Amino acid sequence: MSDYVARVLDIIKARNANEPEFIQAATEVLESIAPVLDAHPEYEAAGLLERLVEPERQIMFRVPWVDDNGNVQVNRGFRVQFNSAIGPYKGGCRFHPSVYLGIMKFLAFEQIFKNSLTSLPIGGAKGGSDFDPKGKSDREVMAFCQSFMTELSRHIGADTDVPAGDIGVGAREIGYLFGQYKRLKNIYEGVLTGKGLSYGGSLGRTQATGYGLIYFTDAMFKANGLSLEGKICSIHGNGNVAYYAAEKVMSYGAKVVTMCDSTGWVYDPEGIDLDAVYEIRFVKRARMSEYTNYRPNAEYHEGRYDWSVKCDIALPCASQNTLVLEDAERLVKNGVIAVCEGANMPTTLEATEYLIKNGVLFAPGKAANAGGVATSALEMSQNSQRLSWSFEEVDAKLKGIMENIFEQVKKASDEYEPKNYVVGANIAGFLKIADAMMAQGIV
Ligand code: NDP
Ligand code: 2IT
């Protein structure tokens, strides 16, 4: 590791001591890009890393709302506008009780490099709240979203910062957020992505992260002389990313045998029934424990999925740090070929290292799950043009973008040591940011 990287990592650890997820994300990126920094002493002279790891702006605010019992509730809202070197801030909003500043910062930091890899003009940001939509009525969710947007609207705009969905923020939430923004600002603009099709959304955005993950995985398999056909997949999660990854990988002739939510997991040796998952997750907003009502021969297990079912491809599509070293050991023991991250940072640093050391093809989230934000950028383009493109057009662009991301990642991984796709993604994403930051002076 270069002295410069070590020094900046020390600063990060001292300044953000209570934010382990941010330290984890920053450590992975900084260690990967060390060879580039050694080759470019001008970056150190310009304080590039010190600036890169400090958000341009972080906003924290009170979100008061009234629940169905007439009680006042207060949540905390966030928007971290991390880096605008290559475009307006762009990144999702997460509503989950675990949200705090450290999670927002790790996600916004990852987003900088992911957005750079898409080759589209979007900076890095993330937002959200510790609000838990689970078990809330539609009216409560609307009241929360309206209050959240009342403050957030001061800080965003179609050319400033364009939020979208993430965990706990889907079509319903985006609709309420958009309605309140329009009401407050009296502007009909593409200030959010993931919108409904009747009010400026893009065809293909709902499917994009999951589909993109499989386009990336397919490109990686082909480059390694492999095919998705007939492979067995384990998917962690059953939400937006997990569901559409399952649908797409099945269309390539693979079989998905496990899916889960945060309370339990199902093993369906005959292949997961996606209609059942759709109804449980998106229609009833119920738990995966109901799956056996649809498929009596499947197994339901309460608790955390421990990656114990034998599979060729593991797709962690739920949340951060859900694939730890012991899970990686189980996967390797069972002969896993590839781990492709649909979620952001689902694999711990130790587990990632173990998988790569054991020859597993490892597709890092900031490259493999970039299809969602890339299609969000396509939604922004359509909104600016006041046009909407067909599903086929958007999907073809998404596929092209994912293949291009794989090519960039592969090229950088061939060029730099150690040769793996984590290093490739971090370096390829970093180079464009570094170039733009250098050109724009000390800002
Ligand atoms: P959803 O809210 O649609 O689904 C989240 C899924 O993850 C649910 O199955 C949820 O279960 C599960 N989950 C959440 N936390 C945990 C946990 N700690 N342990 C186990 N399961 C958990 O979110 P998305 O599908 O949109 O997002 C999933 C991941 O993909 C996140 O990491 C997100 O940052 C990332 N991502 C999302 C993109 C998008 O376009 N939506 C784009 C790129 C990345 P439960 O309902 O029980 O909580
Ligand atoms: O993590 C992510 O890339 C997202 N949640 C999607 C962001 C976006 O702006 O579509």
Side-chain angles (χ1 to χ4, degrees), residues 94 96 107 114 126 134 165-168 205 209 236-242 260-263 281 287 317-320 322 342-344 369 372:
R94 176 177 293 189
H96 193 271
L107 289 164
K114 182 195 305 196
K126 203 79 182 191
K134 274 199 203 85
D166 194 80
I167 292 178
R205 173 61 187 91
T209 311
H236 199 233
N238 70 348
N240 173 267
V241 180
C260 72
D261 58 24
S262 61
T263 39
R281 175 86 204 173
R287 302 277 84 203
C317 298
S319 197
Q320 65 279 353
T322 52
N344 286 306
N369 75 33

Side-chain angles (χ1 to χ4, degrees), residues 355-372:
L355 291 165
I356 292 173
K357 261 198 189 134
N358 282 278
V360 176
L361 294 175
F362 186 87
K366 62 170 74 67
N369 75 33

Side-chain angles (χ1 to χ4, degrees), residues 147-183:
S147 181
F148 180 80
M149 182 52 88
T150 299
E151 177 57 35
L152 187 67
S153 64
R154 303 168 197 268
H155 311 286
I156 62 176
D159 294 313
T160 310
D161 183 356
V162 182
D166 194 80
I167 292 178
V169 179
R172 174 182 59 172
E173 290 74 20
I174 293 291
Y176 293 147
L177 292 167
F178 183 80
Q180 182 72 353
Y181 180 86
K182 180 166 63 67
R183 182 186 186 198

Side-chain angles (χ1 to χ4, degrees), residues 202-217:
S202 172
L203 286 158
R205 173 61 187 91
T206 306
Q207 297 85 345
T209 311
Y211 280 19
L213 172 67
I214 303 308
Y215 294 144
F216 185 96
T217 304

Side-chain angles (χ1 to χ4, degrees), residues 74-380:
V74 177
N75 286 100
R76 187 171 279 183
F78 301 86
R79 188 74 182 163
V80 175
Q81 299 177 332
F82 217 122
N83 191 298
S84 61
I86 63 171
Y89 305 111
K90 181 83 195 89
C93 279
R94 176 177 293 189
F95 293 168
H96 193 271
S98 63
V99 163
Y100 77 106
L101 187 60
I103 288 192
M104 296 287 96
K105 279 169 65 181
F106 114 68
L107 289 164
F109 186 72
E110 290 281 290
Q111 201 82 44
I112 303 170
F113 305 95
K114 182 195 305 196
N115 292 3
S116 165
L117 284 168
T118 66
S119 301
L120 298 166
I122 39 180
K126 203 79 182 191
S129 174
D130 57 2
F131 173 74
D132 187 358
K134 274 199 203 85
K136 302 289 192 296
S137 68
D138 283 350
R139 193 210 63 81
E140 289 176 320
V141 171
M142 180 172 74
F144 172 82
C145 287
Q146 291 180 340
S147 181
F148 180 80
M149 182 52 88
T150 299
E151 177 57 35
L152 187 67
S153 64
R154 303 168 197 268
H155 311 286
I156 62 176
D159 294 313
T160 310
D161 183 356
V162 182
D166 194 80
I167 292 178
V169 179
R172 174 182 59 172
E173 290 74 20
I174 293 291
Y176 293 147
L177 292 167
F178 183 80
Q180 182 72 353
Y181 180 86
K182 180 166 63 67
R183 182 186 186 198
L184 289 165
K185 297 282 213 178
N186 198 25
I187 303 176
Y188 205 111
E189 61 174 357
V191 68
L192 294 162
T193 59
K195 298 185 292 299
L197 298 178
S198 57
Y199 64 95
S202 172
L203 286 158
R205 173 61 187 91
T206 306
Q207 297 85 345
T209 311
Y211 280 19
L213 172 67
I214 303 308
Y215 294 144
F216 185 96
T217 304
D218 181 49
M220 180 176 81
F221 267 49
K222 283 191 178 128
N224 287 277
L226 296 163
S227 148
L228 292 176
E229 171 113 45
K231 298 291 184 292
I232 304 293
C233 299
S234 250
I235 299 189
H236 199 233
N238 70 348
N240 173 267
V241 180
Y243 180 85
Y244 290 102
E247 186 178 275
K248 184 53 79 176
V249 83
M250 286 179 191
S251 78
Y252 279 79
K255 181 154 88 170
V256 177
V257 293
T258 74
M259 286 183 90
C260 72
D261 58 24
S262 61
T263 39
W265 57 282
V266 296
Y267 172 49
D268 191 340
E270 279 157 30
I272 292 280
D273 176 352
L274 277 186
D275 291 341
V277 175
Y278 192 90
E279 192 165 305
I280 293 167
R281 175 86 204 173
F282 301 112
V283 180
K284 294 183 174 172
R285 297 184 191 273
R287 302 277 84 203
M288 273 306 254
S289 51
E290 293 202 7
Y291 185 82
T292 46
N293 298 340
Y294 298 80
R295 302 272 282 194
N297 292 334
E299 293 171 16
Y300 174 74
H301 301 264
E302 196 77 15
R304 166 186 188 275
Y305 178 53
D306 61 359
W307 299 97
S308 54
V309 172
K310 184 175 166 53
C311 67
D312 302 307
I313 304 173
L315 301 173
C317 298
S319 197
Q320 65 279 353
N321 292 329
T322 52
L323 200 167
V324 302
L325 183 59
E326 296 73 30
D327 303 321
E329 287 168 355
R330 269 187 289 276
L331 284 167
V332 167
K333 197 159 147 259
N334 281 329
V336 75
I337 299 169
V339 174
C340 307
E341 296 186 322
N344 286 306
M345 205 170 75
T347 317
T348 62
L349 290 174
E350 302 75 34
T352 305
E353 197 182 322
Y354 182 84
L355 291 165
I356 292 173
K357 261 198 189 134
N358 282 278
V360 176
L361 294 175
F362 186 87
K366 62 170 74 67
N369 75 33
V373 76
T375 307
S376 279
L378 301 181
E379 183 172 329
M380 290 165 71

Side-chain angles (χ1 to χ4, degrees), residues 1-5 28-41 43 49 412 415-419 423-424 426-427 430-431:
M1 202 201 311
S2 76
D3 288 349
Y4 183 33
V5 166
E28 188 206 272
V29 171
L30 264 58
E31 288 183 351
S32 292
I33 62 177
V36 179
L37 297 166
D38 289 341
H40 289 275
Y43 290 170
L49 281 192
E415 205 170 318
Y416 293 95
E417 294 294 335
K419 297 197 186 314
V423 168
N426 288 329
I427 291 182
F430 170 74
L431 287 172

